[in-house]
Amino acid sequence: MKWVGVDVGGTFTDAVVYDDDTQKYSYAKAPSSLTDPTMGVLDVLESLSINFENIGRFVHGVTIGTNAILQGKGAVVWMLTTRGFRDVLEIARTNRPVLYDIKSLKLQPLIPRTRTFEISERIRYDGSIEREIELEDVHRAVQNIDGDYDVALAICFLHSYANATHEIAAKQLCEKLRPDLFVCNSHEVLAQFREYERFSTTALNAILGPLMSQYFSHLKASLEEHGYRHDIYIMTSNGGVSTVERAKQLPIATVLSGPAGGVAAAVYLGKKYDLPNLITCDMGGTSTDVCLVEDLRIPVTNEQSIAGHANRTPQIGINAVGAGGGSIAWLDAGEILNVGPQSAGADPGPACYDRGGLEPTVTDANLILNRLHQENPLAGRISLSRELAMKAIQRLGERISSLDEFELAEGIIQIAVARMVSAIKQISMASGYDPRDFTLVAYGGAGPMHAVAIAEELEMQQILVPLSPGNLAAFGSLISDLKRDHVQTKNLQLSDVGWDSIETMFQKMEGKALSELRREGIADHSVVIHRSVGMRYVGQSWELNVDIDNNVDSLSAIGAAFANAHERRFGHRSKGATEIVNFRIAATAVGEKPDLPLWNRNGTLKDAQSETRQIFFNRAFVDVAIYQRQLLPHGSQANGPCIIEESGSTTVLPANWYFLVLEDGSLLLNSSRPNNT
């Protein structure tokens, strides 16, 4: 049997295949298709000469939902809401997007009020029914919905998290009247309080519904046509996987699908090498995604937004910045050099791809500095032209006379690094963490090339570069487990309840989660459940998520855990009364997964060195040893400056750094110099 993990990125589609019989991994990359992502999936798998009938497990990371929202694409969505609450999405949180710009405009609502119907019904915050739903209103509203293609309906009633009766009745009628519509209820998408956040998340889900359903159906048909006969699993934003049928109903849960796979793989390596505190840095062709992992716990948050719109589904706490290998260098009105967020993407790509791109990018800058070699095609397919890269940089340099083309290229890289450093500071220093206490995990095709520069800016001493870093997100998808998140709003002051009330609430949610997983063939004994609560001091507007582990088995322990979390986040704690507002569980179906094989390459460093090349470092060219990663012996180490090349990625080590080859072929980079080898 073969295990397959595929990740579709903005520039490349990556695949990792594990063969049970040989216990070996295969890696491949193929250019992504902007018009039909399925083409990239099939292309990368066919490049590995796979018999699709031998694939037993297929897991897929996608970026389609993210791109659709960012580009303003997706379905035309209509909404049913409680009478009097037509303008919830319009009012939003009344925050000003730019504080000091009196001309700044609010974002347009996801669903305009002209496509919002008010329904006579009312449920109170405690779940009691104040006014029964009038289904005649629903009937009239559905009759007024225009369009029969890429149209969706979001049903968002007040306090449906406490009592979903009215939403269920409305959905049943809508599906009967318009079976062609994609219909979703807010309590199914997000069963928690705060109308704007719940409505916004449900609207985003509806926007993606038809688009994602079409893609998943097309993908399934294409794989079956090639001989695949098993279930398709989709990487989700919470770091687990979901069945494709569930992903069709909750596509909003896939918006961080690709980056989540990389974080899951980084945690796997952290456990393997006893590195509990990690900062991941996934630099691809379009963007860089960073994430802070403490004590090997994947951070899951419910406070994210996308394109300025609230998305409160559970997702890994990833911070993304528009700095990738394809990020374009440009000058603003003040002739100041900038890099990104605009990207050349896969088409036309950087100038050096010779596909029509003319703007200089980070990849072009690395190429003319000889950190990339034009004789090593990217992903084994895309030939690089140093001449075209030089022309693109020189055209930009005509407006910056103080720098030659090499200094300008180095400046482009420094600015890209500064943007990534800023993104890491936001998830570390801004939240009370010192990045020097963490190991940087660098992956993505461009991550290892810039990792040392990032680490030096943050005074980090250690970097882990996985084997085939450009395919790590796909590997993370392959080894991830099925995971379900459940949330339920219930307001309880700790001073008014006993531990039994809290335990009863959790057991009820866990019973529901186990029942769902049983229907998918998952045995109870393989399920691991993690508990957490949303807590706050009485009178606060927003809550903090507090983990409830095995050591938290009393009200006083919950209170202490919250106080510690509050002090870490805000720098102080209070003796005031506390309350729980949300109960959460994450149910993970832990299964067997393949391990990375031992790296048994023998030989010497001399055998692995392919050449000596002049590389531009600190405004001068210096002679640097070039190593081929697949030939590096297990346990070998060497000082920088050096370059380590492999298919799909390049690791750059300046002076005062050295590398060590670990047991699975991963590279451990350290800033202190060892004895000469």
Side-chain angles (χ1 to χ4, degrees):
M1 183 184 93
K2 288 183 169 60
W3 302 52
V4 174
V6 175
D7 177 60
V8 178
T11 305
F12 290 105
T13 295
D14 309 320
V16 175
V17 177
Y18 175 77
D19 191 322
D20 266 346
D21 296 331
T22 63
Q23 297 184 343
K24 291 183 179 179
Y25 285 89
S26 301
Y27 306 88
K29 280 178 172 286
S32 295
S33 171
L34 300 179
T35 56
D36 181 7
T38 305
M39 293 175 60
V41 174
L42 297 176
D43 190 14
V44 73
L45 293 179
E46 289 172 352
S47 71
L48 292 168
S49 301
I50 292 177
N51 184 342
F52 283 71
E53 294 180 357
N54 295 334
I55 299 175
R57 177 179 169 88
F58 180 92
V59 187
H60 184 18
V62 296
T63 56
I64 300 170
T66 309
N67 294 337
I69 294 172
L70 294 177
Q71 296 169 11
K73 298 179 179 178
V76 174
V77 181
W78 301 71
M79 185 169 76
L80 306 184
T81 191
T82 305
R83 190 168 299 283
F85 289 84
R86 187 181 186 183
D87 295 311
V88 167
L89 290 178
E90 179 75 43
I91 297 171
R93 283 289 165 191
T94 69
N95 295 328
R96 294 181 58 158
V98 184
L99 187 60
Y100 297 108
D101 183 359
I102 62 173
K103 296 182 179 180
S104 67
L105 300 175
K106 285 179 58 179
L107 287 172
Q108 292 297 312
L110 290 167
I111 306 172
R113 70 193 316 270
T114 54
R115 295 204 301 267
T116 302
F117 300 105
E118 295 183 318
I119 307 300
S120 297
E121 67 84 37
R122 188 64 179 265
I123 289 175
R124 295 173 58 83
Y125 74 96
D126 60 0
S128 60
I129 297 177
E130 181 175 307
R131 180 175 182 176
E132 292 287 352
I133 186 170
E134 295 186 13
L135 292 176
E136 294 82 0
D137 287 356
V138 177
H139 192 285
R140 283 193 296 270
V142 173
Q143 287 182 321
N144 286 313
I145 293 177
D146 297 328
D148 55 5
Y149 182 75
D150 283 351
V151 178
L153 177 64
I155 303 176
C156 304
F157 291 155
L158 198 66
H159 302 307
S160 61
Y161 59 86
N163 184 344
T165 304
H166 289 176
E167 283 196 350
I168 293 172
K171 183 177 181 180
Q172 289 174 344
L173 179 57
C174 293
E175 290 179 332
K176 180 180 178 180
L177 296 172
R178 288 287 302 270
D180 59 307
L181 289 180
F182 176 88
V183 183
C184 59
N185 282 336
S186 70
H187 80 276
E188 295 172 331
V189 177
L190 191 67
Q192 67 183 53
F193 74 144
R194 295 195 176 97
E195 278 65 45
Y196 165 66
E197 283 75 17
R198 180 160 46 86
F199 287 18
S200 176
T201 305
T202 306
L204 289 169
N205 192 72
I207 287 170
L208 297 180
L211 173 70
M212 299 294 280
S213 294
Q214 291 164 20
Y215 172 71
F216 290 140
S217 296
H218 179 44
L219 174 68
K220 183 177 181 181
S222 298
L223 292 175
E224 289 177 348
E225 184 180 341
H226 283 73
Y228 182 65
R229 296 290 181 264
H230 301 282
D231 291 333
I232 297 174
Y233 293 94
I234 305 300
M235 193 73 196
T236 51
S237 305
N238 63 4
V241 302
S242 167
T243 62
V244 72
E245 295 305 320
R246 182 176 176 84
K248 285 182 179 180
Q249 296 302 312
L250 291 174
I252 188 62
T254 68
V255 293
L256 287 181
S257 175
V263 176
V267 170
Y268 169 87
L269 291 172
K271 292 177 181 177
K272 185 180 183 71
Y273 290 113
D274 193 25
L275 300 171
N277 296 328
L278 310 170
I279 292 177
T280 68
C281 182
D282 177 5
M283 185 180 180
T286 305
S287 64
T288 297
D289 303 303
V290 298
C291 178
L292 184 144
V293 176
E294 184 182 27
D295 293 331
L296 292 175
R297 287 185 177 179
I298 294 179
V300 177
T301 180
N302 302 85
E303 300 177 0
Q304 299 276 43
S305 297
I306 181 167
H309 302 289
N311 171 21
R312 295 300 187 254
T313 53
Q315 50 197 301
I316 293 178
I318 291 172
N319 189 19
V321 61
S327 293
I328 295 172
W330 55 283
L331 299 179
D332 63 16
E335 299 292 295
I336 302 299
L337 182 64
N338 291 269
V339 178
Q342 304 93 334
S343 174
D347 186 16
C352 60
Y353 282 16
D354 194 12
R355 293 183 173 180
L358 299 175
E359 302 295 332
T361 67
V362 174
T363 297
D364 295 308
N366 278 296
L367 181 59
I368 75 165
L369 298 180
N370 284 340
R371 299 179 186 185
L372 286 173
H373 199 323
Q374 67 176 356
E375 295 181 3
N376 294 331
L378 290 184
R381 302 185 181 206
I382 300 177
S383 298
L384 303 180
S385 169
R386 192 169 187 271
E387 180 183 358
L388 292 176
M390 183 69 76
K391 288 181 179 179
I393 297 290
Q394 287 174 340
R395 278 194 295 270
L396 183 68
E398 290 174 357
R399 298 166 60 186
I400 307 178
S401 58
S402 60
L403 300 176
D404 64 28
E405 56 266 35
F406 302 109
E407 293 169 334
L408 178 56
E410 192 168 47
I412 290 171
I413 294 171
Q414 289 171 346
I415 292 173
V417 166
R419 297 196 67 196
M420 292 182 278
V421 167
S422 177
I424 292 175
K425 286 181 177 180
Q426 289 178 28
I427 62 170
S428 57
M429 296 178 182
S431 297
Y433 295 97
D434 188 339
R436 294 175 295 185
D437 298 332
F438 292 76
T439 297
L440 185 68
V441 185
Y443 55 97
M449 187 176 296
H450 305 88
V452 172
I454 293 169
E456 288 183 337
E457 287 292 325
L458 295 165
E459 299 182 14
M460 301 176 72
Q461 304 298 309
Q462 187 167 259
I463 302 169
L464 182 68
V465 180
L467 191 66
S468 294
N471 298 73
L472 193 71
F475 172 74
S477 299
L478 185 147
I479 62 170
S480 293
D481 295 308
L482 196 73
K483 185 178 180 182
R484 296 280 186 273
D485 287 289
H486 296 265
V487 58
Q488 183 62 58
T489 289
K490 191 171 182 63
N491 193 301
L492 298 173
Q493 283 198 35
L494 292 191
S495 59
D496 296 339
V497 299
W499 176 256
D500 290 345
S501 299
I502 294 174
E503 184 67 28
T504 299
M505 188 68 184
F506 275 126
Q507 289 180 359
K508 181 179 178 181
M509 295 175 67
E510 290 166 4
K512 178 182 178 182
L514 291 172
S515 178
E516 282 187 5
L517 291 173
R518 283 189 213 110
R519 290 195 291 271
E520 296 184 15
I522 306 298
D524 289 4
H525 65 81
S526 67
V527 180
V528 174
I529 293 179
H530 178 73
R531 298 174 171 182
S532 62
V533 291
M535 290 188 67
R536 64 189 183 188
Y537 289 114
V538 174
Q540 287 185 323
S541 298
W542 297 91
E543 67 275 7
L544 284 176
N545 203 50
V546 179
D547 292 327
I548 306 297
D549 55 30
N550 294 332
N551 297 322
V552 180
D553 55 4
S554 66
L555 295 177
S556 60
I558 289 181
F562 168 69
N564 292 336
H566 194 278
E567 186 171 27
R568 162 60 69 87
R569 180 67 180 85
F570 298 110
H572 67 93
R573 63 177 67 202
S574 170
K575 295 182 179 180
T578 56
E579 61 183 352
I580 296 173
V581 293
N582 288 318
F583 288 79
R584 303 180 186 278
I585 64 165
T588 305
V590 180
E592 294 184 3
K593 52 184 68 72
D595 198 0
L596 288 172
L598 294 177
W599 186 256
N600 54 14
R601 169 66 63 180
N602 296 316
T604 65
L605 278 173
K606 186 176 180 180
D607 298 330
Q609 184 175 345
S610 59
E611 62 172 317
T612 298
R613 191 162 73 229
Q614 283 206 323
I615 310 295
F616 196 84
F617 281 118
N618 297 322
R619 308 187 75 169
F621 280 99
V622 295
D623 289 331
V624 169
I626 309 298
Y627 296 104
Q628 299 305 307
R629 186 167 182 177
Q630 73 274 14
L631 300 179
L632 287 173
H634 170 254
S636 61
Q637 61 183 27
N639 300 322
C642 65
I643 300 284
I644 303 168
E645 297 180 338
E646 61 184 303
S647 177
S649 190
T650 299
T651 302
V652 175
L653 254 73
N656 301 320
W657 282 77
Y658 77 95
F659 70 82
L660 170 67
V661 182
L662 302 179
E663 66 177 29
D664 67 349
S666 295
L667 299 176
L668 191 65
L669 316 182
N670 280 279
S671 62
S672 56
R673 183 185 295 273
N675 294 327
N676 290 330
T677 56

